[in-house]
């Protein structure tokens, strides 16, 4: 395995992000396609999209927005066959570093409840009751980045 993590630089790489998200969220988890993509999913946005490649194969993605002065980690997903290799942790660590470089001291994310143990291992604290996004139970997780 030859993993490379990088910030998306063009439409081609963004298409790879959308491919991974469709595989995980739409095909695997049943999220409607029109709910998965939004206004932040185009090459002209200034928010960073992150892609992980195994060689030339896209295997994971995420994006980072700043919402009310807090780093919001979004659309974190890893293809099923790569979930046992630490790729999710690599994504989260990378986004946290990007946030720190922007001077941000807090991070948050809407994590699926089935992934709660993963986020807790990375230092995130559940900060809300369960709520639904696309009919999937989620909770708000927060973490200090300082």
């Amino acid at each position: 395995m030859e993993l490379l993590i990088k910030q998306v630089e063009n439409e081609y790489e963004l298409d790879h992000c959308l491919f991974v998200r469709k595989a995980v969220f739409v095909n695997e988890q049943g999220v409607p396609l029109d709910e998965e993509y939004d206004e932040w999913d185009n090459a002209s946005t200034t928010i960073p999209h992150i892609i992980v490649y195994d060689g030339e194969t896209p295997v994971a993605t995420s994006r980072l927005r700043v919402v009310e002065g807090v780093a919001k980690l979004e659309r974190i997903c890893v293809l099923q066959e790569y979930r046992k290799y630490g790729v999710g942790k690599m994504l989260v660590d990378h986004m946290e570093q990007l946030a720190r470089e922007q001077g941000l001291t807090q991070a948050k994310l809407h994590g699926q409840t089935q992934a709660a143990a993963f986020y807790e291992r990375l230092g995130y604290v559940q900060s809300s009751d369960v709520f639904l996004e696309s009919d999937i139970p989620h909770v708000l997780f927060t973490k200090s980045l300082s």
Side-chain angles (χ1 to χ4, degrees):
M1 197 166 19
E2 207 177 297
L3 295 178
L4 167 72
I5 187 168
K6 67 179 304 264
Q7 190 165 323
V8 168
E9 298 174 7
N10 54 52
E11 194 78 38
Y12 179 74
E13 292 172 345
L14 181 62
D15 285 346
H16 285 165
C17 294
L18 301 180
F19 165 82
V20 172
R21 285 173 41 193
K22 183 177 180 188
V24 173
F25 294 129
V26 177
N27 299 341
E28 183 182 330
Q29 297 183 344
V31 172
L33 193 58
D34 65 336
E35 290 181 26
E36 177 50 33
Y37 304 137
D38 61 23
E39 69 270 21
W40 306 110
D41 294 323
N42 64 73
S44 65
T45 65
T46 58
I47 66 164
H49 285 74
I50 310 303
I51 186 84
V52 179
Y53 290 101
D54 178 9
E56 295 184 18
T57 304
V59 300
T61 189
S62 60
R63 69 183 189 195
L64 176 67
R65 289 194 307 129
V66 178
V67 178
E68 298 174 350
V70 175
K72 186 169 188 232
L73 288 59
E74 299 181 327
R75 303 302 204 269
I76 302 165
C77 62
V78 178
L79 293 180
Q80 190 169 16
E81 58 269 29
Y82 284 86
R83 291 185 192 148
K84 59 186 171 221
Y85 299 113
V87 179
K89 180 183 183 319
M90 179 191 305
L91 271 173
V92 172
D93 288 349
H94 188 83
M95 286 191 294
E96 288 176 356
Q97 185 57 39
L98 285 175
R100 284 184 193 97
E101 289 169 5
Q102 294 179 41
L104 301 170
T105 59
Q106 296 291 319
K108 67 179 179 179
L109 59 91
H110 293 177
Q112 295 181 9
T113 56
Q114 55 90 14
F118 167 74
Y119 292 117
E120 289 167 353
R121 279 194 306 275
L122 298 179
Y124 284 82
V125 176
Q126 182 175 329
S127 302
S128 77
D129 291 330
V130 175
F131 57 90
L132 294 179
E133 282 187 357
S134 300
D135 293 326
I136 298 172
H138 284 72
V139 292
L140 173 67
F141 286 98
T142 57
K143 180 180 179 179
S144 171
L145 298 177
S146 49

